[in-house]
Amino acid sequence: MTTRITAAVPRPGLRPGLRPGLRPAPAEDIAVPFADCDITAEAQAAVLRVLQSGWVTTGREVAAFEAEFATAVGAEFAVAVSSCTQGIELALRSLGLPPGSLVLSSTMTFCGAVQAIVHAGHQPVLVDVDPATGMPTPATVRTAVRAYGPPAALTVVHWAGDVADVPALVEAAGVPLDRVVVDAAHALGTYAGDAPVGSGPGTTCFSFYATKNLPLGEGGMITTDDGERAEWLRKARLHGMTADAWRRYLPGGSWRYNVADAGLKANMTDIQAAMGRAQLVHLPSWQRRRAQIAARYDEQLAGLPGVGLPHRPAPGDGTHAWHLYPVRLRLNGGVDRDEVIAALSERAIGTSVHFIPVHKLAYFSQAALIPSAGLTGADALFDQLLSLPMYPRLTAEQVDAVCTAITGIAHQGISGKGTE
């Protein structure tokens, strides 16, 4: 038995302004939520076990989850935290940079990743992306460096589960590898070559949000190969205290502790960690299912006029985690992305857009540095982006329903049908 938590998809009447001709050709009426959070029976039982144990906050389960996760991604050390966003902030704080240091970030990321730079006390510098990949290139990194000077650190996002070329971006930024923070919120299961994301130098931050490849509802993990940094992160995630409550309250433990650095309240609970340990067992099969779903989308959408498939690593360069399946829509006939979203919603098919580029959000127009030439690659990509449903419990029939609907819309747009 599993618990199914899905994003509700409304079935309203035709939206005001939606072109009647854009409704897809008739097909079997199959609802397809955009998101689905699979909390397995094992994870539910693990939560009950912790609730009955008398200890629910950071303790043995967190330590065990950290060890098991580190093994799963080939990391030396793993530190569990309350979210990927808090993980990025802690990872940046661990670098000991002077306040106000320049930190590069892709503009095509979730706003929280850039807020983490601000909350760490530094200045975000937004970097443009290649519209074909959704990720920065050495050239766009060099453009940002020329505009604002050498950065002190660099954040890199493996967008949608695709593989960023971390060494090339690091070289273009001119920062050492130990000043790189990798945002792997989309990249649990991503490989760079034959190395899983999360192994190697620098620090890498993962997300266990409800829609992620390892869903817990909330939570995150930081991996590193630096033992001293890992120890600092464990203290900093809980106010900077030298001993957490679990260790203080163990038989023979001391109530005394010290605080040497400014820390955060960013620890993971044993409830979340127990869920994580149980869910982690299913990750390999979930990843295989995601790859199967991506292949089914590829088969039906490849060559469809006006629909671009997601970028993925070239053979030998790595493995896509398929956290998202983002297509690019360039339909003729005056059909734009938002009309497609509305038309799919009419068929109870949920979609999303990842992401609104950070430079388009009001707060960051003041809080971040944006090159005067603009971020034209991200602007071009944003207007075309559409994320299709992607999760392990997505059925073949649901994938086919999505593809049938998109095919109908694409052909209507190309032929000019359904236009005013």
Side-chain angles (χ1 to χ4, degrees), residues 13 29 41-42 110 119 126 143 161 179 185-186 207-208 284 290-291 326 339 347 364 367 375 405:
D29 190 11
E42 297 92 333
F110 182 57
H119 291 311
L126 299 182
T143 296
R179 291 193 178 182
H186 291 182
S207 172
F208 305 135
R290 285 176 179 272
E339 284 188 300
R347 294 299 300 271
F364 295 102
L375 299 168

Side-chain angles (χ1 to χ4, degrees), residues 232-247:
W232 186 93
L233 290 166
R234 288 194 180 96
K235 295 174 183 175
R237 71 180 172 187
L238 198 56
H239 310 295
M241 298 166 64
T242 55
D244 59 31
W246 178 47
R247 289 173 176 81

Side-chain angles (χ1 to χ4, degrees), residues 60-375:
R60 290 183 178 86
E61 293 289 339
V62 168
F65 185 32
E66 290 173 338
E68 292 164 9
F69 189 88
T71 298
V73 302
E76 290 290 330
F77 306 96
V79 179
V81 289
S82 56
S83 70
C84 184
T85 301
Q86 293 290 65
I88 295 170
E89 180 178 347
L90 285 168
L92 289 168
R93 286 174 178 265
S94 75
L95 301 180
L97 305 176
S101 293
L102 299 182
V103 178
L104 300 186
S105 171
S106 171
T107 191
M108 188 59 69
T109 189
F110 182 57
C111 61
V114 184
Q115 286 173 331
I117 299 172
V118 175
H119 291 311
H122 303 308
Q123 176 66 66
V125 179
L126 299 182
V127 180
D128 203 5
V129 302
D130 179 352
T133 68
M135 295 180 286
T137 66
T140 62
V141 168
R142 285 192 290 268
T143 296
V145 172
R146 284 195 298 269
Y148 295 107
L154 169 70
T155 63
V156 177
V157 59
H158 295 289
W159 181 71
D162 200 358
V163 180
D165 189 345
V166 176
L169 298 177
V170 168
E171 181 179 2
V175 299
L177 277 172
D178 65 356
R179 291 193 178 182
V180 177
V181 175
V182 177
D183 178 355
H186 291 182
L188 180 55
T190 299
Y191 281 71
D194 59 0
V197 168
S199 60
T203 52
T204 303
C205 302
F206 295 89
S207 172
F208 305 135
Y209 183 66
T211 59
K212 296 300 191 288
N213 292 36
L214 188 73
L216 305 185
E218 296 286 355
M221 190 76 75
I222 310 169
T223 61
T224 179
D225 63 355
D226 184 332
E228 290 185 6
R229 178 170 294 171
E231 185 59 28
W232 186 93
L233 290 166
R234 288 194 180 96
K235 295 174 183 175
R237 71 180 172 187
L238 198 56
H239 310 295
M241 298 166 64
T242 55
D244 59 31
W246 178 47
R247 289 173 176 81
R248 297 199 311 273
Y249 299 155
L250 283 171
S254 172
W255 57 268
R256 296 183 184 276
Y257 60 86
N258 193 14
V259 176
D261 293 295
L264 303 176
K265 174 61 173 172
N267 59 305
M268 178 180 282
T269 69
D270 268 12
I271 296 172
Q272 295 166 291
M275 290 176 62
R277 296 178 67 194
Q279 299 281 79
L280 190 59
V281 173
H282 294 274
L283 182 64
S285 64
W286 286 344
Q287 288 303 110
R288 289 191 295 271
R289 179 60 187 150
R290 285 176 179 272
Q292 292 169 356
I293 293 167
R296 195 173 187 94
Y297 274 132
D298 288 349
E299 181 181 3
Q300 297 186 60
L301 299 180
L304 189 62
V307 179
L309 299 188
H311 182 269
R312 72 281 315 272
D317 287 350
T319 303
H320 202 299
W322 295 115
H323 171 58
L324 299 174
Y325 191 92
V327 296
R328 293 181 66 187
L329 300 179
R330 289 163 284 192
L331 302 177
N332 293 331
V335 180
D336 67 24
R337 186 264 318 281
D338 290 349
E339 284 188 300
V340 174
I341 290 173
L344 292 174
S345 180
E346 287 292 316
R347 294 299 300 271
I349 294 172
T351 58
S352 191
V353 176
H354 296 82
F355 293 99
I356 302 172
V358 171
H359 70 277
K360 290 182 174 292
L361 302 174
Y363 170 72
F364 295 102
S365 66
Q366 302 297 321
L369 297 178
I370 303 170
S372 58
L375 299 168

Side-chain angles (χ1 to χ4, degrees), residues 18-25 335-336 339-340 343 405 408-409 412-413 417-418:
L18 179 64
R19 301 171 184 177
L22 262 183
R23 284 185 64 87
V335 180
D336 67 24
E339 284 188 300
V340 174
I409 292 169
Q412 289 177 52
K417 294 179 181 179

